[in-house]
Amino acid sequence: MRAQEAAPVVQGEVLDTNGEGLIGAAVLLVNPKDSTIACHTVSDYSGHFAFRCKAAGEYWLQAHLLGYLTQGQTVVVPTEQMVIFKLPDDPKEIEQVRIGARRTGVKVSGDTIGYSVKAYTTGAEKTLGDLLARLPGLKVSQDGRVTAQGQQVEKILFNGRDLFGKNVGLATQNISSEVADTVRVVHGYSEYNLLDGFQNRDKTVIDVGVKEGMWNRVSGTVEAGGGYKSFYEGRGNAMFLGKTLMVSAIAAGNNTGESTFTVADYIALQGGIAGDDGVYTIKLSNLGFMGNLLFPPNDTYRLRNHMGSLNLTYNQEKRVKINVGGLFSQGDNASESSMLRQLISAQGGASPYFSRKSSESRNIGGVALFGLTLNPTDEWLISYSGSGDLSRTYKHERIDDEVGGATVTTLQRFPDRPVSMLHRASITYRLGDHLLQAHGSYQFSESRPNIEIESDDLNLPFSATRLPNGRFDLRQDLYKRTQDLQGELVGKFRIAEEQLLEVRVGDKYQYHRYISALTGASNPQPHPTDQIPLDNDARLYLHYSHAGIFWRKTEGAFRATIGAKGLMLHHNLQDSHAIPADASDNPKGYSLFVSPTVNLAYRFSNLHRLSVDYSLDLENAGIRPLTSGYTAQSYRSFWWGGRGRRDWVYLKQRVDLRYFLYNADRSVSINAKASYSRKREYATSTTVHGISSISEPYRAPDNQELSAYLFLSKTFAAFWEISLYTSHSLEWAESRVNGLVQPRQSYEGSVEFGVTTSYKTPFNLTASAGGYHDRYVLNSGISRYTYGMAKGGVIFSKGPVKATLEGGYSQSALRGRGIRNVLLETEISYEFWNSLSLVLIGRNLLNLNSRQWSKVSVSDLYRTEYTYGTLPGHILLKLRWEFGNKAKDGVEIKVKRR
C-alpha cells in the first residue's frame, strides 16, 4: 500500500538526439487551464525524471535545457507509461557572434539560471573560482566562497553530482577553469527526490557541466619559489575527478602570511554548520585551535604556516555518498603593536595610559571528518557524520605600560590543549505525501587555557605578595568542559496540495563544567573586606524540552510559515561558593517560554521575491557569568561574575525584511535585507583592572539594533558589469557604569563599488572603491573613525603570457588625523614549455619593509587607539607546473551555448 502511494504519477527520460541522457533538464507539469505549474523537477545523471506530486487529469508536460530546443506533449496523469523526450541542439546560440552570445548568454528557466561559459571567459581564468567570478551576478570571496544573485552558494555540483559536500572553496580554488563547459545556478535545490516539497526553497547551488575530456583524470598544480628577505612559498595540489569519485590532496607552506587554508575548509571538515535537511543547527565546537592561522592578529609582522589535507567523496547516483576528510596544520606568528587607552565615561578615576606589546605564538593541530549518506529506496534517507579535532597552542606576550611616569613590564604565557568531537545522525522516511524524520547529535569539547603572569606592578582586587625580585608571579589554571546531547522527531504532513502541517518534539541536555584557581609564587589570598574567592568549581545542568506546530504554504505566489514552539527549561547550577539566594537569584528551577515564528513571502515571479520574518527565541548566557570567584582574563583584567541577579538565559526577538530580483533581461540583480533585533539581557559582571583603579560593574539590560544591506549588480554593453554593496547598522542601549545608567549608541556604515570587463581581447579591467564610517557615543563621549579606499587593476592575457597589475589607495581619519596607505601588487606568468611556467609575484610592493597603520575601537569605558606593525610586502620568483588541466588531445569538445 505504501509503495503504491509513493509511486510517481508520471516519469520518463530526457535524451539528446544520440540517445544519451541529459542531466539537469528542467521538466514542468503545467495545468493547461490556467498555465500554472503544478510541479517541477530536474532530470538526474542518466536523464531520468519522476513526479510524485499530487496531480490527476490532463496536463502539458514540457522539458527544456539550455543549448537545446524545448519540447512538450500532453499527458494524462497518473500514468505508468514512460515519457521520452529527445531534445535537438539549438543551432541559433552556436551560430551567434560573441555580442549576440552575450545577450543570450544568460538563460532563466524556473528557478535555474544558466550561463554560456564561452561567452564570458577571457582566457586569463586559472581556477573555477576565477571563471565563476566572470559570470554576471556571481561573486567569489578571497577564501573561495561564492554568492549568486546575493544568495550564499551551499554546494558546487559537477554534472549534478555532489562531490565536494559543503567545501565550496576546495572546488573553486583547486579545480581548473578548463573543466567547465556550462554553469547553472539553481535556486530552491533539493538533492533527494523524497525531500521535494518539504525542504527550504532558499537553498542555492551551482551545477558545473564538465567537458567530457576532463573526467577520470588527475589534475593539479605544483609550485615553489623564494625571493626577497628569505621569503618562500610552496604549494601542491592533485585531484582526481571522476563521475562518482573525487579525491583531493593538498600540501602548502609559506612565510609570507598567505593563508594555506580557510575558515570554509575548517567548517566543511566539521560537517558544515546546519544539517542537509536544514532542520537543526550545530555550532562549531572549537575554532580557537587554529585561530591565529585562520585569523592572524592585526599586529602580525611575521607569519609562517604549513598544512596538508586529504579529501575523498564517493557518490553513486545519489544512493550512497561517502565523505572522508582530514586537515593538519602547523604555524607560528609574531606581532607588535602599541595602544593609547583613554577613559570616555563621565565617571571613574583612571588616567590615560600607553602600552607596547609584542607576542609570539605556536599552533599545531588537526581535524578529521567521516560522513555517510544512504538513500536505499525512494522512501528512505539515512545519514551519519562524525568529526573531531585535537590541537596544542602556546602564546607568549610582553607588555610595557607607561603609567604615572613609570614603565611597568609584564610577561604573559597562554598554553592550551583543546579537544572536541561532534557526532550526528538522521533518518528520514517518506510515507506517501508525508515525511517523518528523526535526528540527533552529540557534541563534546574540553580545553585548559591557562594563564601565567609575571609583572613589575599590579593593582589587584585581592592580596598578593611581591617577590624578592620586586615582581608579582600569578598563575590561572582553567578547565572547561561542555557536553551537548539532543534529539528531535519531526512530522511533515501534507494537508492540502500546497500546504503542510509540521509537528516537532525534542529534548536537549547540556552539561557545563568550569574550574579555575588563582595560584602562584605570590600566594594570592582573598581580600579581607569582601572575601571574594580566588577559585571556581561550578557545574551547570540544562534540560530543554520543546514541542512545536507550524503551518506552511510551500507553493504558489504567496507562501507562508506560521507557528510556535513551547519550551520548558530546567537548570541546576552547582557552585562551590554559592551564597544564600535572594529574590533576584535563580540558581535552580523551571522556566516556560513560547517562541513564535512567522514567515510571509510573495513571489512576483521565480526570481522576484519579497518576504518578511519574525522570531522570538532564547539565548544561553553560558556558565562563566554565573560563577562566584575571580577569573583572570589577562594581567589587566580580573573578572568576577558578581553576587546579584544571575539569570542564565535572555530573550531575543528579530524582524527581517528581504527583497530579491533578477530581472527578465538578465541584466540586473538586486538582493536587499533590513533587520531589527532586540535583546534583553539580565546579567551582572564586574571587571577590576590590574593596571588602573577602575571598577566596572556593567549591565546592559536592553540592546536594540537596526541594520540593512543592499547588493546590486548590472550588466551593460554586453561586456561590462558594475556592482554595489552597502551595509549600515545602528545600535543603541543603556550601560550601567559605577551605578549610573548612561545611554550608548553606535553606528557602522560601509559601501563598496566595483567594475569589471570581460572583452575577448588581451586587456581587461577591474576597479573598486569603498568606505567605512564608525561613530560611537557614550553619554557625552564621542568617537569617530573613517576609512576609505580605491583600487584598480589590469588583466593581460595573450598566448603564454598572463599578467595582473593592481594598485590602490586608502586613507583613514582618526580625530582629524589622516593615515594613508598605497597598495601595488602584480603577478606575471610565462608558460615556456609543456605547462611549465615562471611566475613573478609582488605583494604590497611599496611596503617591502614593515610599515604601520592605525585604527580605533571603543568599549563602554574606553576609547583605544591602536598602532599596528603589519606584514611586510614580498617579491617571489616561482616555478609552476600545471598538469591534467587541459582537455585530452584528440577529444572533440562540443561547445554548446547553454
Side-chain angles (χ1 to χ4, degrees):
M1 183 65 181
R2 292 178 181 173
Q4 186 177 359
E5 292 175 343
V9 295
V10 60
Q11 60 181 320
E13 293 180 342
V14 182
L15 312 174
D16 62 14
T17 53
N18 296 322
E20 296 182 2
L22 293 175
I23 185 174
V27 187
L28 309 178
L29 197 62
V30 182
N31 191 330
K33 297 179 181 179
D34 54 10
S35 299
T36 59
I37 299 175
C39 47
H40 61 87
T41 188
V42 177
S43 61
D44 63 15
Y45 177 74
S46 63
H48 181 265
F49 68 89
F51 288 105
R52 290 179 173 80
C53 56
K54 189 174 182 180
E58 187 176 276
Y59 288 85
W60 176 254
L61 187 63
Q62 186 176 9
H64 53 100
L65 180 64
L66 295 173
Y68 297 88
L69 295 175
T70 299
Q71 288 192 350
Q73 66 181 70
T74 300
V75 296
V76 178
V77 297
T79 179
E80 297 182 358
Q81 183 179 358
M82 292 282 290
V83 179
I84 307 298
F85 289 107
K86 286 193 174 182
L87 305 186
D89 288 345
D90 185 354
K92 294 181 181 179
E93 290 188 5
I94 299 175
E95 294 172 358
Q96 287 175 336
V97 296
R98 184 167 172 77
I99 290 208
R102 275 301 173 89
R103 290 172 180 161
T104 60
V106 182
K107 191 170 184 179
V108 177
S109 173
D111 287 338
T112 301
I113 304 170
Y115 294 92
S116 176
V117 170
K118 292 292 184 181
Y120 292 95
T121 53
T122 65
E125 300 79 17
K126 185 174 69 172
T127 65
L128 179 63
D130 297 336
L131 185 150
L132 295 179
R134 288 286 179 192
L135 304 182
L138 270 64
K139 189 175 182 180
V140 182
S141 66
Q142 189 174 359
D143 62 2
R145 287 176 289 182
V146 184
T147 56
Q149 290 78 47
Q151 300 283 103
Q152 189 72 38
V153 172
E154 297 192 20
K155 294 184 178 183
I156 292 187
L157 314 179
F158 290 83
N159 279 18
R161 294 287 181 92
D162 178 14
L163 297 174
F164 289 84
K166 296 182 179 180
N167 199 338
V168 173
L170 181 64
T172 57
Q173 294 181 322
N174 295 284
I175 290 287
S176 169
S177 61
E178 293 283 341
V179 166
D181 185 19
T182 61
V183 171
R184 297 188 309 129
V185 175
V186 183
H187 297 284
Y189 169 76
S190 178
E191 182 174 1
Y192 297 98
N193 292 333
L194 80 163
L195 298 178
D196 284 343
F198 294 96
Q199 275 190 315
N200 186 345
R201 291 287 190 179
D202 294 334
K203 182 177 290 189
T204 299
V205 301
I206 287 178
D207 186 12
V208 177
V210 179
K211 297 175 182 176
E212 278 301 320
M214 302 303 291
W215 284 117
N216 299 322
R217 62 190 306 180
V218 177
S219 63
T221 303
V222 178
E223 59 183 27
Y228 179 71
K229 284 196 171 182
S230 301
F231 280 110
Y232 68 86
E233 186 174 282
R235 182 179 181 88
N237 69 277
M239 180 176 295
F240 173 82
L241 187 64
K243 294 184 178 180
T244 60
L245 178 67
M246 185 281 298
V247 182
S248 169
I250 303 173
N254 65 69
N255 64 349
T256 62
E258 300 286 339
S259 176
T260 55
F261 70 104
T262 67
V263 178
D265 298 329
Y266 179 79
I267 291 176
L269 287 170
Q270 292 281 339
I273 294 180
D276 284 335
D277 54 9
V279 172
Y280 62 97
T281 299
I282 297 293
K283 293 182 179 179
L284 287 178
S285 57
N286 182 14
L287 194 56
F289 85 102
M290 292 183 180
N292 282 337
L293 303 179
L294 292 167
F295 307 106
N298 287 328
D299 53 356
T300 298
Y301 68 87
R302 187 185 75 235
L303 176 61
R304 291 191 292 261
N305 57 89
H306 307 84
M307 65 83 71
S309 72
L310 180 66
N311 293 271
L312 179 148
T313 299
Y314 173 78
N315 190 337
Q316 185 179 14
E317 297 186 6
K318 301 183 181 180
R319 292 301 187 186
V320 178
K321 183 165 65 175
I322 300 174
N323 299 94
V324 180
L327 183 149
F328 171 82
S329 183
Q330 179 274 332
D332 60 81
N333 60 34
S335 61
E336 287 182 349
S337 64
S338 61
M339 175 182 71
L340 176 63
R341 174 169 281 185
Q342 293 179 298
L343 190 72
I344 64 172
S345 172
Q347 288 75 33
S351 301
Y353 64 88
F354 182 77
S355 296
R356 292 185 180 88
K357 183 183 75 172
S358 62
S359 67
E360 293 189 356
S361 66
R362 298 190 300 273
N363 309 271
I364 184 171
V367 58
L369 166 75
F370 173 79
L372 174 64
T373 303
L374 301 175
N375 185 206
T377 69
D378 291 339
E379 293 81 27
W380 287 95
L381 180 64
I382 304 168
S383 65
Y384 163 81
S385 68
S387 64
D389 60 57
L390 177 68
S391 64
R392 190 180 188 92
T393 66
Y394 181 81
K395 186 176 183 180
H396 180 274
E397 290 183 344
R398 172 179 173 143
I399 307 100
D400 294 304
D401 294 303
E402 296 180 7
V403 183
T407 299
V408 178
T409 300
T410 304
L411 303 178
Q412 294 189 134
R413 291 172 289 274
F414 302 87
D416 195 6
R417 303 186 306 276
V419 60
S420 67
M421 64 178 177
L422 170 64
H423 301 273
R424 58 190 183 190
S426 176
I427 300 176
T428 302
Y429 176 64
R430 181 156 181 169
L431 179 63
D433 291 334
H434 313 302
L435 197 72
L436 304 177
Q437 294 177 304
H439 49 259
S441 67
Y442 172 74
Q443 190 170 8
F444 168 86
S445 64
E446 182 180 272
S447 63
R448 305 173 186 270
N450 299 331
I451 304 175
E452 301 170 7
I453 301 172
E454 296 179 27
S455 182
D456 293 341
D457 194 13
L458 288 174
N459 183 1
L460 298 172
F462 46 82
S463 301
T465 303
R466 190 184 293 269
L467 300 179
N469 61 5
R471 302 177 70 99
F472 289 98
D473 187 313
L474 299 175
R475 178 183 174 91
Q476 173 77 74
D477 293 315
L478 288 171
Y479 173 78
K480 301 176 184 179
R481 182 172 182 171
T482 299
Q483 292 175 272
D484 184 302
L485 178 65
Q486 57 180 300
E488 188 177 36
L489 299 176
V490 182
K492 299 179 181 181
F493 305 99
R494 180 76 60 184
I495 57 177
E497 186 173 349
E498 299 179 350
Q499 300 178 39
L500 291 173
L501 187 66
E502 183 175 311
V503 180
R504 296 172 175 270
V505 179
D507 255 9
K508 179 166 72 172
Y509 296 87
Q510 284 187 344
Y511 168 74
H512 300 269
R513 182 75 184 275
Y514 187 87
I515 302 174
S516 69
L518 268 168
T519 61
S522 291
N523 190 27
Q525 297 293 326
H527 199 280
T529 59
D530 56 31
Q531 288 296 310
I532 297 175
L534 305 184
D535 64 297
N536 292 284
D537 188 354
R539 297 174 176 85
L540 179 62
Y541 300 88
L542 303 176
H543 177 204
Y544 301 74
S545 295
H546 70 267
I549 185 168
F550 303 87
W551 172 77
R552 302 185 188 274
K553 185 177 183 297
T554 58
E555 301 291 342
F558 173 72
R559 306 185 184 190
T561 298
I562 300 175
K565 182 170 60 175
L567 296 167
M568 183 180 71
L569 302 95
H570 173 252
H571 71 283
N572 182 5
L573 174 64
Q574 298 179 5
D575 189 346
S576 59
H577 300 297
I579 60 175
D582 58 32
S584 64
D585 280 327
N586 189 15
K588 184 176 181 179
Y590 291 88
S591 303
L592 296 175
F593 298 90
V594 176
S595 175
T597 298
V598 178
N599 170 260
L600 304 175
Y602 187 81
R603 292 193 171 200
F604 304 93
S605 66
N606 285 322
L607 295 174
H608 187 191
R609 311 167 189 167
L610 179 68
S611 67
V612 60
D613 299 275
Y614 171 79
S615 64
L616 175 65
D617 216 334
L618 299 178
E619 292 192 13
N620 192 341
I623 188 173
R624 196 183 72 171
L626 309 179
T627 55
S628 299
Y630 278 115
T631 300
Q633 293 179 282
S634 70
Y635 77 102
R636 189 181 289 125
S637 178
F638 295 86
W639 194 90
W640 171 47
R643 299 191 181 187
R645 186 177 180 115
R646 295 188 298 177
D647 285 281
W648 53 277
V649 294
Y650 50 87
L651 294 173
K652 183 176 183 180
Q653 55 183 327
R654 185 179 183 90
V655 179
D656 295 319
L657 178 66
R658 294 183 175 91
Y659 178 75
F660 173 64
L661 169 67
Y662 192 60
N663 70 336
D665 64 2
R666 295 81 162 169
S667 63
V668 176
S669 173
I670 301 175
N671 191 291
K673 179 181 177 181
S675 302
Y676 168 79
S677 65
R678 186 173 186 177
K679 182 170 63 175
R680 294 180 177 271
E681 295 181 274
Y682 303 98
T684 302
S685 63
T686 300
T687 303
V688 178
H689 297 266
I691 197 64
S692 58
S693 56
I694 289 285
S695 177
E696 182 194 346
Y698 168 73
R699 183 181 182 187
D702 195 353
N703 292 271
Q704 301 180 69
E705 183 179 3
L706 182 64
S707 62
Y709 75 79
L710 168 68
F711 173 78
L712 168 68
S713 69
K714 177 174 175 56
T715 302
F716 63 96
F719 303 101
W720 289 76
E721 182 182 6
I722 62 172
S723 63
L724 171 70
Y725 178 83
T726 181
S727 66
H728 304 269
S729 68
L730 176 66
E731 182 181 3
W732 61 97
E734 293 178 344
S735 294
R736 183 172 302 216
V737 181
N738 288 341
L740 297 177
V741 175
Q742 302 182 57
R744 170 167 57 93
Q745 187 182 92
S746 64
Y747 165 79
E748 294 181 2
S750 66
V751 61
E752 183 176 348
F753 174 79
V755 178
T756 60
T757 67
S758 53
Y759 286 98
K760 200 70 172 182
T761 63
F763 288 97
N764 275 284
L765 304 174
T766 64
S768 63
Y772 175 86
H773 179 74
D774 185 7
R775 185 175 186 270
Y776 190 97
V777 180
L778 176 62
N779 198 15
S780 58
I782 300 177
S783 176
R784 294 183 180 90
Y785 176 69
T786 304
Y787 170 81
M789 70 86 185
K791 62 181 180 180
V794 177
I795 302 172
F796 176 83
S797 178
K798 186 174 183 180
V801 179
K802 295 181 181 180
T804 61
L805 177 66
E806 184 176 72
Y809 174 81
S810 67
Q811 177 170 333
S812 58
L814 176 63
R815 294 189 303 163
R817 185 173 73 250
I819 302 167
R820 300 174 179 84
N821 184 43
V822 180
L823 172 72
L824 182 63
E825 298 187 344
T826 187
E827 179 172 333
I828 304 172
S829 67
Y830 173 71
E831 183 178 342
F832 60 91
W833 179 70
N834 199 23
S835 298
L836 279 173
S837 303
L838 279 176
V839 185
L840 179 65
I841 296 176
R843 299 282 185 257
N844 207 4
L845 290 173
L846 301 181
N847 180 23
L848 294 179
N849 297 301
S850 183
R851 251 169 62 178
Q852 294 182 332
W853 62 281
S854 297
K855 69 172 293 187
V856 66
S857 69
V858 185
S859 69
D860 289 326
L861 280 179
Y862 292 105
R863 177 176 60 214
T864 307
E865 299 177 17
Y866 298 92
T867 302
Y868 296 128
T870 59
L871 281 166
H874 58 268
I875 299 175
L876 296 175
L877 182 63
K878 297 196 297 186
L879 181 65
R880 175 184 294 160
W881 175 43
E882 299 176 84
F883 56 93
N885 288 330
K886 298 185 182 298
K888 294 179 181 178
D889 295 336
V891 177
E892 180 182 356
I893 303 299
K894 186 177 182 180
V895 178
K896 298 171 183 176
R897 301 290 189 184
R898 296 184 181 178

